[in-house]
Amino acid sequence: MYMRRKSKINLIILFSALLLAIVLFFLVNLFTLKYRGEGHSISGNGNLGLLFIFPAVTVYLFMLIFVYKVGGSYYRHLKNIVKLPAILSFLLIFFIYGEYYLVQSLLHHLGGGPNSPESVIYRFGWLNQYTNTLYFNFFTFAIGVLLTLLICSCVEIFRRRKICHAQQL
């Protein structure tokens, strides 16, 4: 009874943190400026996305802790999880490629990185009003969740092997 209640509480916390993290990632995206091309001036308003970046990081890390907790308790009830790390690794590679493509696309659109004199973000640094979405987007969100689930599944596999090995002795 106690474990069911604890699991329900963990799920409620996880879904609440998930929803809040999604909203904060969306707000970072909303307040990240989109460069409209040559002939348009750049913003002098500063990086308004910073208002949401620090809470987003905090909530996201908190959410990942609960992804690990809930994932671990869920994986303990699965009979066969040997294939799970391979599936999660494949998905992780897919999302890493998506993030790479997003970064390359945005840098091409901006004319290069902050060290390139032809770039719109020349001398701004990597975190600025045009590049917040490099760090806070669907791909980075999914990469963190997948990486957490991959670690969780590997820990469960090693735990099962350790228990199996201890029973053989």
Side-chain angles (χ1 to χ4, degrees):
M1 183 69 162
Y2 172 75
M3 292 303 285
R4 268 194 197 152
R5 184 172 180 218
K6 188 176 176 183
S7 294
K8 284 182 183 181
I9 291 171
N10 284 343
L11 273 175
I12 290 170
I13 292 171
L14 172 63
F15 286 123
S16 300
L18 175 69
L19 181 63
L20 186 56
I22 289 170
V23 168
L24 287 168
F25 269 56
F26 173 75
L27 289 172
V28 169
N29 187 20
L30 184 66
F31 285 96
T32 298
L33 300 177
K34 312 305 184 250
Y35 179 61
R36 295 182 298 170
E38 198 87 19
H40 294 279
S41 62
I42 60 172
S43 170
N45 294 333
N47 191 355
L48 295 176
L50 278 176
L51 296 171
F52 303 103
I53 286 175
F54 297 112
V57 168
T58 305
V59 171
Y60 183 66
L61 291 175
F62 180 77
M63 181 203 71
L64 290 179
I65 290 169
F66 276 88
V67 167
Y68 184 85
K69 282 179 137 180
V70 171
S73 64
Y74 176 73
Y75 290 160
R76 284 194 180 98
H77 294 91
L78 289 178
K79 294 188 190 275
N80 187 6
I81 63 167
V82 176
K83 295 177 186 175
L84 191 59
I87 295 167
L88 291 170
S89 296
F90 173 75
L91 289 171
L92 190 60
I93 290 168
F94 175 74
F95 283 101
I96 289 171
Y97 175 75
E99 176 66 15
Y100 174 78
Y101 182 78
L102 178 79
V103 168
Q104 294 303 314
S105 176
L106 183 61
L107 289 179
H108 177 72
H109 181 67
L110 295 173
N115 297 331
S116 176
E118 301 84 33
S119 175
V120 174
I121 58 171
Y122 182 56
R123 295 186 181 159
F124 275 8
W126 280 104
L127 184 63
N128 61 63
Q129 65 264 32
Y130 295 104
T131 61
N132 295 331
T133 54
L134 292 181
Y135 309 101
F136 296 90
N137 58 61
F138 172 73
F139 294 113
T140 56
F141 194 92
I143 287 169
V145 171
L146 289 171
L147 195 56
T148 302
L149 290 173
L150 180 63
I151 291 168
C152 188
S153 64
C154 290
V155 166
E156 179 61 21
I157 288 170
F158 288 126
R159 186 187 72 79
R160 288 181 185 188
R161 286 187 180 166
K162 186 177 177 183
I163 290 172
C164 189
H165 181 70
Q167 288 174 351
Q168 289 176 353
L169 295 177

